[in-house]
Amino acid sequence: MLRAQPRCDEVRADAVCLSAMTCLTHGTHERSDTARARASGPLPTAASTRRYWIIFAILAVLAVGVVVGTMAWGNPMPVGSEGFWTIAQMRAKSLVVIVIVTFAQAVATVSFQTVTHNRILTPGIMGFEALYRLVQTGAVFLLGAAGVMTVTGIVPFLGQVLVMVLFAGALYGWLFAGQRGNLQVTLLVGIVIGGGLGALSTFMQRLLTPSEFDLLTARLIGSVALAKTEYLIPSVVLVGLAGGALWARSRKLNVLALGPQAATNLGINQRRETLVVLLLTAVLMAVSTALVGPMTFLGFLIAMIAYQLSDTYDHRYVFPMAWLVGIVVMAGAHFVLRHIFYAQGSVGIIIELVGGGFFLFYILRKGRL
């Protein structure tokens, strides 16, 4: 018998089904390939991992370039000579100060923003800088020009650090450690106290003579030149211990960033961990402020840039990126001031200008706090 030939509509239907099955199979393979390419880590794709390390490498090259430029640019001695290395070693002190300060500001600001769940806050709002200004102003107000020497030296330096840490510890212990502790109330009280200390400093400054006021003003602007060589070893020890403790708590900070309820459900004592982070942050900010003076927007600037470049919320990746960004920004500002404007040391001028501009841009772009 002759077999019946399939009709045209049947052939067309079979072709459509075959095409659909091919597309479905191809799509399934594509999705499986995509699933294999993604991971559950902080950098989920190979592209994001590659992007992070490329940016990190570029920043590292820029940091090395700024360091070499700072030590070699304008050095009157022949390269490689004994005189060249003598001058380079003198300039190296400023670079060590920059490394210490940027590490302290980067780790402190990122950790503080994590526990407060706010990207525009910095630890400076807790009154550290206002207290520093009050100590400096009070010394000149009570002792005159000789007061500048009174607050200079290793003992006064450690004393200022201790006063600021005790101030922060008392504030946190009083307002946050109790049963009714509230982080937002603690922040508001810190802002009010800082404003009061600032007003008292301004009142005393108005009673100073013009010469005394000039001496004081030089110490109230963030400057690398304020740091003395004898400050470096205790600063490295304090910053290393406090910053290392926060870095070691990176995984807990990742959990704290999820919010109080999520952190508690995941087994974290949210109140205790937040208090520990705030106290370690206080140590870092106290050392940074006592070492180079107030720099209100430095932490905010490098933290904001680090989050944009890292493209992740994992503190194990954000911390090193923020530190490297801080070195490039602060060392670059120091280089520009030293070799272009001949205003050696006063990096706070550029930091405040650029950081304040970024702060306004961030607020206006977001449209909200």
Side-chain angles (χ1 to χ4, degrees):
M1 295 178 62
L2 294 178
R3 187 170 53 187
Q5 298 295 324
R7 293 181 302 176
C8 292
D9 55 347
E10 293 178 349
V11 173
R12 196 178 299 114
D14 292 341
V16 171
C17 291
L18 180 61
S19 176
M21 291 178 63
T22 303
C23 293
L24 180 61
T25 305
H26 182 66
T28 302
H29 286 308
E30 285 186 346
R31 286 195 296 272
S32 62
D33 292 339
T34 304
R36 284 195 298 268
R38 295 185 65 85
S40 59
L43 300 173
T45 64
S48 61
T49 303
R50 184 167 54 251
R51 174 183 178 275
Y52 176 89
W53 290 113
I54 289 175
I55 293 174
F56 192 87
I58 292 173
L59 289 175
V61 172
L62 290 176
V64 172
V66 174
V67 168
V68 173
T70 300
M71 299 180 69
W73 188 279
N75 193 325
M77 305 303 293
V79 178
S81 65
E82 183 178 353
F84 175 87
W85 290 114
T86 301
I87 296 176
Q89 289 176 4
M90 295 173 60
R91 296 180 177 181
K93 189 215 58 162
S94 299
L95 296 174
V96 174
V97 172
I98 289 172
V99 169
I100 295 173
V101 171
T102 51
F103 178 81
Q105 290 275 350
V107 176
T109 303
V110 172
S111 302
F112 189 82
Q113 291 179 349
T114 296
V115 296
T116 58
H117 306 286
N118 194 314
R119 288 284 190 88
I120 68 170
L121 293 181
T122 64
I125 69 169
M126 300 307 297
F128 298 105
E129 297 173 357
L131 186 58
Y132 171 84
R133 291 189 176 95
L134 180 63
V135 171
Q136 300 291 326
T137 304
V140 177
F141 178 78
L142 296 175
L143 302 175
V148 175
M149 300 304 299
T150 305
V151 291
T152 302
I154 185 63
V155 175
F157 169 75
L158 293 176
Q160 292 180 72
V161 173
L162 180 61
V163 168
M164 284 186 270
V165 173
L166 290 177
F167 167 77
L171 182 63
Y172 298 146
W174 174 41
L175 293 173
F176 188 67
Q179 293 296 325
R180 298 183 179 181
N182 187 293
L183 181 60
Q184 307 306 321
V185 173
T186 304
L187 297 177
L188 290 175
V189 172
I191 294 173
V192 172
I193 293 178
L197 296 177
L200 182 58
S201 300
T202 303
F203 173 74
M204 289 190 292
Q205 290 170 17
R206 291 182 176 275
L207 301 179
L208 298 177
T209 64
S211 59
E212 293 172 344
F213 183 78
D214 289 341
L215 289 174
L216 176 64
T217 302
R219 300 187 65 85
L220 297 183
I221 299 176
S223 174
V224 176
L226 291 178
K228 305 299 181 183
T229 304
E230 60 267 26
Y231 298 172
L232 298 183
I233 294 180
S235 298
V236 169
V237 173
L238 292 173
V239 169
L241 291 175
L246 285 174
W247 203 311
R249 308 175 88 84
S250 295
R251 295 181 184 276
K252 291 185 178 180
L253 286 170
N254 293 341
V255 178
L256 290 174
L258 300 176
Q261 294 182 351
T264 302
N265 292 336
L266 292 173
I268 298 293
N269 188 329
Q270 189 266 341
R271 184 186 296 272
R272 184 186 65 189
E273 289 299 326
T274 301
L275 184 58
V276 170
V277 171
L278 292 176
L279 290 175
L280 293 174
T281 298
V283 175
L284 294 176
M285 291 303 300
V287 174
S288 173
T289 305
L291 190 62
V292 298
M295 290 189 178
T296 305
F297 291 107
L298 176 61
F300 167 80
L301 178 64
I302 60 182
M304 182 188 67
I305 296 176
Y307 274 117
Q308 297 297 322
L309 297 181
S310 301
D311 196 25
T312 180
Y313 293 90
D314 194 322
H315 291 74
R316 294 173 297 172
Y317 292 89
V318 177
F319 279 152
M321 184 69 77
W323 187 13
L324 202 52
V325 168
I327 293 174
V328 172
V329 170
M330 193 171 178
H334 176 70
F335 180 85
V336 170
L337 281 171
R338 181 186 179 93
H339 298 291
I340 297 180
F341 297 104
Y342 304 100
Q344 180 179 354
S346 300
V347 293
I349 298 173
I350 289 185
I351 295 298
E352 298 300 302
L353 179 63
V354 176
F358 268 93
F359 181 84
L360 292 176
F361 173 78
Y362 185 85
I363 296 297
L364 294 176
R365 190 189 66 169
K366 292 292 184 180
R368 65 184 187 277
L369 293 178

